[in-house]
Amino acid sequence: MKVAVASDHAGFPLKDTVVNTLIALGHTPVDFGTNSTESVDYPDFANKAGMAIVDGEVERAITLCGSGVGVCIAGNKIPGVYACLCHDTYTASQGVEHDHMNMLCLGARVIGQELAIRIIEAFMSAVPSTEPRHLRRVEKTNAIEKSHLQE
């Protein structure tokens, strides 16, 4: 699976771990920057990763900033992107399975390398559920998004 990877300066120290974990799992990371700890703005990088999902260039994305909150908020502003901040494996897998999350957001100043690896493994191994109750809920979420786009 092709996966966008993007971070701001605060997320950059954990970015190599993300890329290497994806490769070890047999996936293809697509790097959308940043490439240093020089201060940059997280919305720019969350947008690049999110648009790669929307444009069909990648199937999923992993974004990083200091807390994970900024990239999560920015990612969720993009119609078709379902970004979640996950600092545990349960949320990372269930977010995909039940809620069809397609952007994992991580806080590099919150979690360490080993936990990040486990969360990425959970996110990447999860498969969106096709159970009617989950599909119904995902469709309701999509309807909320569409209703606000029409305003």
Side-chain angles (χ1 to χ4, degrees):
M1 181 183 308
K2 290 176 75 175
V3 182
V5 177
S7 72
D8 72 354
H9 58 283
F12 178 74
L14 196 57
K15 193 171 136 196
D16 280 345
T17 298
V18 173
V19 169
N20 292 333
T21 301
L22 288 170
I23 292 168
L25 294 171
H27 300 289
T28 304
V30 181
D31 190 340
F32 287 92
T34 194
N35 297 311
S36 76
T37 56
E38 182 179 331
S39 184
V40 293
D41 299 328
Y42 63 82
D44 298 335
F45 297 92
N47 187 54
K48 289 177 185 181
M51 290 308 299
I53 292 170
V54 173
D55 293 341
E57 183 179 346
V58 299
E59 292 179 56
R60 295 186 189 174
I62 300 175
T63 56
L64 305 106
C65 65
S67 68
V69 173
V71 290
C72 184
I73 292 170
N76 279 311
K77 299 299 181 185
I78 304 167
V81 172
Y82 302 98
C84 298
L85 173 61
C86 300
H87 290 154
D88 62 84
T89 58
Y90 177 78
T91 308
S93 62
Q94 185 175 324
V96 173
E97 293 163 358
H98 292 197
D99 309 307
H100 296 198
M101 165 178 72
N102 55 15
M103 180 185 280
L104 172 64
C105 304
L106 299 173
R109 293 177 176 163
V110 178
I111 61 171
Q113 182 176 348
E114 288 303 314
L115 181 54
I117 291 167
R118 301 296 165 247
I119 293 168
I120 294 163
E121 289 171 344
F123 173 65
M124 294 307 301
S125 66
V127 176
S129 171
T130 57
E131 289 184 38
R133 66 188 173 114
H134 297 139
L135 292 176
R136 181 181 69 247
R137 294 167 186 160
V138 168
E139 283 306 313
K140 286 183 176 186
T141 301
N142 291 340
I144 292 169
E145 178 181 69
K146 288 176 187 168
S147 74
H148 288 283
L149 290 173
Q150 296 171 1
E151 293 180 355

